[in-house]
Amino acid sequence: MTELLLIALALAILVAAAGAWSQRQHVTIYPGNTGLLYRDGRFVRELPPGRYGWWNMGTRSRVLTVPTLPLPVTVPEMSVLSRDQFAFRLVLVPVVAVQDARLFAESQPIAAPPAHLPELPLSAAHPALRPLLAAAALEETGRHMLADLIAEPQPLVEAIAARLADALPGAAIPQVLLTAINLPPETRKMFTDVARAKVEAQAALERARGEQAALRVLANAARLVTDNPALANLRLLQAIEATKGATTIVLGDGALKAAARPD
Protein backbone atom coordinates (compact mmCIF):
# COMPACT_ATOMS: atom_id res chain seq x y z
CA MET A 1 0.00 0.00 0.00
CA THR A 2 2.80 2.35 0.88
CA GLU A 3 4.51 1.64 -2.39
CA LEU A 4 1.31 2.47 -4.31
CA LEU A 5 1.03 5.76 -2.46
CA LEU A 6 4.63 6.61 -3.28
CA ILE A 7 4.08 5.75 -6.95
CA ALA A 8 0.91 7.87 -7.06
CA LEU A 9 2.71 10.73 -5.34
CA ALA A 10 5.59 10.51 -7.82
CA LEU A 11 3.16 10.52 -10.76
CA ALA A 12 1.37 13.53 -9.31
CA ILE A 13 4.67 15.36 -8.92
CA LEU A 14 5.63 14.51 -12.51
CA VAL A 15 2.28 15.71 -13.84
CA ALA A 16 2.56 18.93 -11.83
CA ALA A 17 6.13 19.46 -13.05
CA ALA A 18 5.10 18.83 -16.66
CA GLY A 19 2.21 21.26 -16.31
CA ALA A 20 4.45 23.89 -14.75
CA TRP A 21 7.09 23.36 -17.45
CA SER A 22 4.48 23.80 -20.16
CA GLN A 23 3.78 27.21 -18.67
CA ARG A 24 7.39 28.32 -19.05
CA GLN A 25 8.16 30.53 -22.03
CA HIS A 26 11.28 32.22 -23.28
CA VAL A 27 12.32 34.68 -26.00
CA THR A 28 15.61 35.92 -27.41
CA ILE A 29 16.07 39.59 -28.30
CA TYR A 30 18.79 40.06 -30.91
CA PRO A 31 20.96 43.17 -31.43
CA GLY A 32 19.23 45.94 -33.34
CA ASN A 33 15.93 45.24 -31.54
CA THR A 34 14.25 46.13 -28.26
CA GLY A 35 11.78 43.87 -26.48
CA LEU A 36 8.66 45.17 -24.72
CA LEU A 37 7.35 42.82 -22.02
CA TYR A 38 3.61 42.92 -21.38
CA ARG A 39 1.85 40.90 -18.67
CA ASP A 40 -1.92 40.54 -18.93
CA GLY A 41 -1.94 43.43 -21.40
CA ARG A 42 0.03 45.80 -19.15
CA PHE A 43 3.50 47.08 -19.92
CA VAL A 44 6.17 45.74 -17.54
CA ARG A 45 9.58 46.78 -18.87
CA GLU A 46 11.85 47.04 -21.88
CA LEU A 47 14.14 44.13 -22.69
CA PRO A 48 17.57 44.85 -24.19
CA PRO A 49 19.19 42.19 -26.42
CA GLY A 50 19.51 38.85 -24.61
CA ARG A 51 17.60 35.68 -23.68
CA TYR A 52 14.67 35.85 -21.25
CA GLY A 53 12.38 33.26 -19.69
CA TRP A 54 9.38 33.32 -17.32
CA TRP A 55 6.64 31.15 -15.86
CA ASN A 56 3.06 31.85 -16.85
CA MET A 57 1.48 30.90 -13.55
CA GLY A 58 -1.95 32.53 -13.54
CA THR A 59 -0.79 35.31 -15.88
CA ARG A 60 -0.18 35.72 -19.59
CA SER A 61 3.06 37.39 -20.70
CA ARG A 62 3.89 38.55 -24.22
CA VAL A 63 6.90 40.29 -25.78
CA LEU A 64 6.84 42.75 -28.67
CA THR A 65 10.10 42.95 -30.60
CA VAL A 66 10.64 46.42 -32.09
CA PRO A 67 13.49 47.10 -34.58
CA THR A 68 15.57 50.09 -33.49
CA LEU A 69 17.99 50.33 -36.42
CA PRO A 70 17.18 52.79 -39.27
CA LEU A 71 15.34 50.66 -41.81
CA PRO A 72 13.97 51.52 -45.28
CA VAL A 73 10.25 50.84 -45.52
CA THR A 74 8.79 49.82 -48.87
CA VAL A 75 5.68 51.83 -49.74
CA PRO A 76 3.55 51.31 -52.89
CA GLU A 77 4.03 53.92 -55.60
CA MET A 78 1.77 56.94 -55.32
CA SER A 79 0.10 59.23 -57.85
CA VAL A 80 1.08 62.91 -57.78
CA LEU A 81 0.46 66.02 -59.88
CA SER A 82 3.09 68.58 -60.85
CA ARG A 83 2.55 72.34 -60.93
CA ASP A 84 2.11 72.22 -64.72
CA GLN A 85 -0.68 69.61 -64.30
CA PHE A 86 1.24 66.51 -65.37
CA ALA A 87 0.12 63.35 -63.55
CA PHE A 88 2.75 60.70 -62.81
CA ARG A 89 3.83 58.26 -60.11
CA LEU A 90 6.61 58.38 -57.54
CA VAL A 91 8.23 55.46 -55.73
CA LEU A 92 9.45 56.75 -52.36
CA VAL A 93 11.20 54.71 -49.67
CA PRO A 94 11.28 56.39 -46.23
CA VAL A 95 13.94 55.35 -43.73
CA VAL A 96 12.39 54.86 -40.26
CA ALA A 97 14.54 55.00 -37.11
CA VAL A 98 12.66 54.00 -33.93
CA GLN A 99 13.77 56.11 -30.96
CA ASP A 100 11.14 55.24 -28.34
CA ALA A 101 10.15 51.60 -28.81
CA ARG A 102 7.22 51.69 -26.40
CA LEU A 103 5.70 54.89 -27.82
CA PHE A 104 6.16 53.60 -31.37
CA ALA A 105 4.50 50.27 -30.56
CA GLU A 106 1.61 51.64 -28.50
CA SER A 107 0.75 54.32 -31.09
CA GLN A 108 -0.58 51.63 -33.43
CA PRO A 109 -3.01 48.72 -33.07
CA ILE A 110 -1.25 45.51 -32.02
CA ALA A 111 -2.63 42.01 -32.39
CA ALA A 112 -1.65 39.58 -29.66
CA PRO A 113 0.47 36.62 -30.81
CA PRO A 114 -1.00 33.10 -30.68
CA ALA A 115 -0.94 31.41 -27.29
CA HIS A 116 1.91 29.08 -28.25
CA LEU A 117 4.07 32.00 -29.48
CA PRO A 118 5.15 34.38 -26.71
CA GLU A 119 6.82 36.86 -29.10
CA LEU A 120 5.38 39.21 -31.74
CA PRO A 121 7.86 40.93 -34.09
CA LEU A 122 6.77 44.47 -34.93
CA SER A 123 7.54 46.00 -38.32
CA ALA A 124 9.05 49.46 -38.84
CA ALA A 125 6.15 50.19 -41.23
CA HIS A 126 3.82 52.24 -39.05
CA PRO A 127 0.18 52.24 -40.31
CA ALA A 128 0.22 56.05 -40.44
CA LEU A 129 3.34 56.16 -42.60
CA ARG A 130 1.77 55.64 -46.02
CA PRO A 131 -1.00 58.30 -45.77
CA LEU A 132 1.42 60.84 -44.31
CA LEU A 133 3.94 60.14 -47.06
CA ALA A 134 1.29 60.35 -49.78
CA ALA A 135 -0.04 63.68 -48.49
CA ALA A 136 3.44 65.19 -48.24
CA ALA A 137 4.43 63.92 -51.69
CA LEU A 138 1.26 65.26 -53.32
CA GLU A 139 1.59 68.71 -51.76
CA GLU A 140 5.32 69.12 -52.35
CA THR A 141 5.17 67.83 -55.93
CA GLY A 142 2.52 70.45 -56.72
CA ARG A 143 5.13 73.14 -56.08
CA HIS A 144 7.46 71.97 -58.88
CA MET A 145 7.36 71.79 -62.67
CA LEU A 146 7.73 68.28 -64.07
CA ALA A 147 10.79 69.18 -66.17
CA ASP A 148 12.52 70.58 -63.05
CA LEU A 149 11.73 67.42 -61.07
CA ILE A 150 13.18 65.19 -63.77
CA ALA A 151 16.31 67.33 -64.04
CA GLU A 152 16.83 67.73 -60.27
CA PRO A 153 14.56 65.66 -57.95
CA GLN A 154 16.65 66.18 -54.80
CA PRO A 155 14.85 69.36 -53.59
CA LEU A 156 11.53 67.51 -53.69
CA VAL A 157 12.92 64.55 -51.74
CA GLU A 158 14.46 66.83 -49.11
CA ALA A 159 11.20 68.76 -48.69
CA ILE A 160 9.22 65.52 -48.18
CA ALA A 161 11.79 64.23 -45.67
CA ALA A 162 11.61 67.52 -43.73
CA ARG A 163 7.81 67.24 -43.46
CA LEU A 164 7.97 63.64 -42.21
CA ALA A 165 10.97 63.99 -39.89
CA ASP A 166 8.89 63.84 -36.66
CA ALA A 167 5.55 62.65 -38.07
CA LEU A 168 5.57 59.19 -36.45
CA PRO A 169 5.26 58.81 -32.65
CA GLY A 170 8.45 57.46 -31.14
CA ALA A 171 10.33 57.41 -34.45
CA ALA A 172 12.22 59.71 -36.80
CA ILE A 173 12.46 59.68 -40.57
CA PRO A 174 15.94 61.03 -41.30
CA GLN A 175 15.83 60.29 -45.02
CA VAL A 176 13.47 59.59 -47.90
CA LEU A 177 14.81 57.79 -50.96
CA LEU A 178 13.40 58.38 -54.44
CA THR A 179 13.77 55.14 -56.41
CA ALA A 180 11.64 55.81 -59.50
CA ILE A 181 9.67 58.44 -61.42
CA ASN A 182 7.12 56.64 -63.60
CA LEU A 183 5.69 58.81 -66.38
CA PRO A 184 2.64 57.89 -68.50
CA PRO A 185 3.57 56.72 -72.03
CA GLU A 186 2.34 59.92 -73.72
CA THR A 187 4.25 62.15 -71.30
CA ARG A 188 7.37 60.04 -71.65
CA LYS A 189 7.14 60.27 -75.46
CA MET A 190 6.73 64.03 -75.28
CA PHE A 191 9.87 64.46 -73.17
CA THR A 192 11.75 62.05 -75.44
CA ASP A 193 10.72 64.07 -78.50
CA VAL A 194 11.85 67.29 -76.83
CA ALA A 195 15.22 65.78 -75.90
CA ARG A 196 15.67 64.39 -79.44
CA ALA A 197 14.79 67.78 -80.96
CA LYS A 198 17.39 69.49 -78.76
CA VAL A 199 20.06 66.99 -79.81
CA GLU A 200 19.16 67.33 -83.49
CA ALA A 201 19.21 71.14 -83.25
CA GLN A 202 22.61 70.98 -81.58
CA ALA A 203 23.91 68.69 -84.34
CA ALA A 204 22.56 71.01 -87.07
CA LEU A 205 24.19 73.97 -85.34
CA GLU A 206 27.54 72.19 -85.21
CA ARG A 207 27.26 71.28 -88.91
CA ALA A 208 26.49 74.91 -89.77
CA ARG A 209 29.47 76.08 -87.74
CA GLY A 210 31.68 73.60 -89.55
CA GLU A 211 30.45 74.79 -92.94
CA GLN A 212 31.00 78.42 -91.97
CA ALA A 213 34.52 77.63 -90.83
CA ALA A 214 35.25 75.82 -94.13
CA LEU A 215 33.88 78.76 -96.14
CA ARG A 216 36.03 81.19 -94.15
CA VAL A 217 39.11 79.10 -94.93
CA LEU A 218 38.25 79.00 -98.64
CA ALA A 219 37.58 82.74 -98.71
CA ASN A 220 40.92 83.45 -97.05
CA ALA A 221 42.67 81.18 -99.55
CA ALA A 222 40.97 82.89 -102.51
CA ARG A 223 42.03 86.30 -101.20
CA LEU A 224 45.62 85.15 -100.81
CA VAL A 225 45.71 83.76 -104.36
CA THR A 226 44.19 86.95 -105.76
CA ASP A 227 46.69 89.15 -103.94
CA ASN A 228 49.66 86.81 -104.66
CA PRO A 229 49.33 84.98 -108.01
CA ALA A 230 52.60 83.14 -107.37
CA LEU A 231 50.89 81.19 -104.62
CA ALA A 232 48.81 79.42 -107.27
CA ASN A 233 51.95 78.08 -108.92
CA LEU A 234 53.31 76.92 -105.57
CA ARG A 235 50.04 75.16 -104.82
CA LEU A 236 50.21 73.54 -108.28
CA LEU A 237 53.70 72.24 -107.58
CA GLN A 238 52.51 70.81 -104.23
CA ALA A 239 49.63 69.07 -105.96
CA ILE A 240 51.95 67.58 -108.61
CA GLU A 241 54.35 66.36 -105.93
CA ALA A 242 51.56 64.72 -103.94
CA THR A 243 50.00 63.05 -107.01
CA LYS A 244 50.85 59.41 -107.66
CA GLY A 245 50.96 57.93 -111.15
CA ALA A 246 50.74 59.71 -114.50
CA THR A 247 49.13 63.15 -114.26
CA THR A 248 47.96 65.63 -116.89
CA ILE A 249 48.07 69.32 -116.01
CA VAL A 250 45.98 71.70 -118.15
CA LEU A 251 46.75 75.43 -118.03
CA GLY A 252 44.79 78.05 -119.94
CA ASP A 253 43.18 81.51 -119.99
CA GLY A 254 45.20 82.63 -117.01
CA ALA A 255 43.27 80.18 -114.78
CA LEU A 256 44.82 77.22 -113.01
CA LYS A 257 43.20 73.92 -113.87
CA ALA A 258 44.46 70.51 -112.90
CA ALA A 259 43.07 67.09 -113.66
CA ALA A 260 44.61 63.92 -112.32
CA ARG A 261 44.18 60.81 -114.43
CA PRO A 262 45.76 57.55 -113.32
CA ASP A 263 46.99 55.25 -116.08
Side-chain angles (χ1 to χ4, degrees), residues 9-230:
L9 180 61
L11 289 174
I13 293 174
L14 288 176
V15 170
W21 184 258
S22 66
Q23 296 298 313
R24 178 173 175 77
Q25 293 179 325
H26 66 272
V27 296
T28 301
I29 309 298
Y30 293 94
N33 297 276
T34 294
L36 302 175
L37 177 61
Y38 289 85
R39 184 166 291 123
D40 292 337
R42 296 185 179 87
F43 176 76
V44 178
R45 64 187 179 99
E46 289 191 1
L47 303 177
R51 181 179 174 86
Y52 302 89
W54 61 86
W55 302 92
N56 282 327
M57 304 300 293
T59 61
R60 181 66 65 186
S61 298
R62 291 290 183 267
V63 173
L64 293 178
T65 303
V66 182
T68 53
L69 294 177
L71 296 175
V73 177
T74 302
V75 179
E77 65 177 8
M78 53 198 63
S79 299
V80 293
L81 192 67
S82 64
R83 194 174 71 181
D84 46 355
Q85 301 303 303
F86 281 104
F88 58 99
R89 292 177 176 270
L90 291 178
V91 180
L92 298 169
V93 180
V95 177
V96 179
V98 177
Q99 299 172 334
D100 187 329
R102 181 183 177 186
L103 179 59
F104 181 78
E106 294 182 357
S107 65
Q108 53 185 300
I110 302 172
H116 64 284
L117 296 177
E119 181 184 7
L120 176 65
L122 198 63
S123 170
H126 197 285
L129 178 60
R130 182 180 179 183
L132 290 173
L133 180 62
L138 183 61
E139 184 173 345
E140 292 299 331
T141 304
R143 305 177 190 272
H144 300 269
M145 306 290 283
L146 179 57
D148 297 335
L149 289 178
I150 294 176
E152 184 57 46
Q154 194 58 31
L156 171 65
V157 177
E158 292 175 354
I160 294 174
R163 289 178 57 116
L164 296 178
D166 301 319
L168 296 182
I173 300 179
Q175 186 180 12
V176 175
L177 307 176
L178 175 62
T179 59
I181 299 178
N182 296 328
L183 302 178
E186 61 275 8
T187 305
R188 187 165 56 248
K189 183 178 183 302
M190 182 189 67
F191 275 88
T192 302
D193 292 342
V194 170
R196 183 184 296 110
K198 289 181 179 179
V199 173
E200 291 175 351
Q202 184 67 26
L205 179 61
E206 292 299 327
R207 285 194 297 269
R209 287 176 178 172
E211 292 174 357
Q212 289 178 357
L215 290 175
R216 282 196 297 269
V217 171
L218 291 175
N220 291 334
R223 255 193 321 271
L224 288 174
V225 170
T226 301
D227 296 340
N228 301 281

